[in-house]
């Protein structure tokens, strides 16, 4: 029986263009390329369920423009790490609310174990859930959770 493949967009917000280089003590030594490597080497079953695209931007408007495009393209799911906008951006939160694409919010670090301001979240209210603290593995776990959700719609 042919498997259903889901179109999924991964979105990274500001300062997430250099994962693996930026403050590795907090965010880990592995970059986004490791997500692809893990999918190919260890998670072929998951990879075969995905038509994956990737986007990263440092500005709020660029992220919102890309999310609106995902809505026009009828993308089926999102894995999003809004970076610091998680804690400040009502605009990204509003966008995620209205486009209504099933999404998992992910963070490399455990935001609840850090400074108080990182416990504030303006983006996750409409997410399926949040995965935080597993470094690059947060993205893989986010994709797993998303596919599981889409399979069970
Ligand atoms: C982050 C956590 C945010 O607080 C921070 O501003 C980031 C990265 C994470 O992935 O752990 O840029 O989203």
């Amino acid at each position: 029986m042919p498997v259903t493949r889901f179109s999924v967009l991964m979105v990274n917000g500001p300062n997430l263009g250099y994962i693996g280089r930026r403050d590795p003590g907090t965010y880990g030594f592995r970059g986004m390329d490791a997500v692809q490597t893990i999918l190919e080497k260890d998670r072929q079953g998951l990879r075969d369920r995905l038509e994956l695209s990737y986007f990263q931007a440092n500005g709020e408007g660029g992220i919102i423009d890309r999310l609106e495009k995902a809505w026009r393209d009828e993308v089926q799911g999102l894995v999003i790490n809004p970076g610091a906008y998680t804690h400040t951006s009502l605009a990204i939160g509003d966008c995620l609310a209205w486009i209504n694409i099933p999404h998992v919010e992910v963070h490399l670090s455990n935001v609840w174990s850090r400074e108080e301001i990182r416990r504030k979240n303006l983006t996750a209210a409409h997410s399926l859930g949040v995965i935080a603290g597993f470094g690059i593995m947060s993205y893989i776990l986010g994709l797993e959770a998303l596919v599981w959700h889409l399979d069970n719609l």
Side-chain angles (χ1 to χ4, degrees):
M1 216 170 71
V3 291
T4 314
R5 285 166 77 99
F6 298 116
S7 56
V8 171
L9 173 66
M10 288 202 291
V11 178
N12 269 338
N15 298 305
L16 294 170
Y18 292 93
I19 299 174
R21 306 293 301 279
R22 170 192 175 198
D23 187 4
T26 303
Y27 298 116
F29 287 92
R30 302 184 80 180
M32 284 307 285
D33 54 327
V35 172
Q36 202 57 42
T37 307
I38 292 167
L39 284 174
E40 269 157 32
K41 287 203 174 145
D42 306 325
R43 295 285 203 285
Q44 290 103 339
L46 176 60
R47 187 207 54 193
D48 291 346
R49 305 297 314 282
L50 300 166
E51 274 164 30
L52 212 49
S53 317
Y54 176 68
F55 178 79
Q56 191 272 330
N58 291 320
E60 203 170 26
I63 295 168
I64 293 168
D65 288 345
R66 186 65 188 88
L67 290 173
E68 288 181 346
K69 176 172 159 42
W71 172 77
R72 288 194 299 279
D73 293 345
E74 300 185 5
V75 164
Q76 289 165 288
L78 306 168
V79 169
I80 182 165
N81 183 348
Y85 284 139
T86 305
H87 320 297
T88 62
S89 180
L90 186 59
I92 292 175
D94 279 354
C95 180
L96 288 166
W98 86 258
I99 64 174
N100 200 27
I101 300 175
H103 61 278
V104 178
E105 181 171 305
V106 299
H107 296 282
L108 296 151
S109 63
N110 177 352
V111 284
W112 292 279
S113 73
R114 301 179 62 194
E115 307 95 304
E116 185 67 33
I117 193 169
R118 295 186 204 273
R119 296 188 185 176
K120 180 176 166 146
N121 185 307
L122 296 180
T123 51
H126 297 271
S127 71
L128 299 167
V130 180
I131 296 170
F134 297 93
I136 216 69
M137 201 60 194
S138 291
Y139 292 83
I140 301 288
L141 297 171
L143 290 168
E144 296 263 20
L146 184 63
V147 168
W148 185 85
H149 170 83
L150 294 172
D151 270 341
N152 288 285
L153 278 180

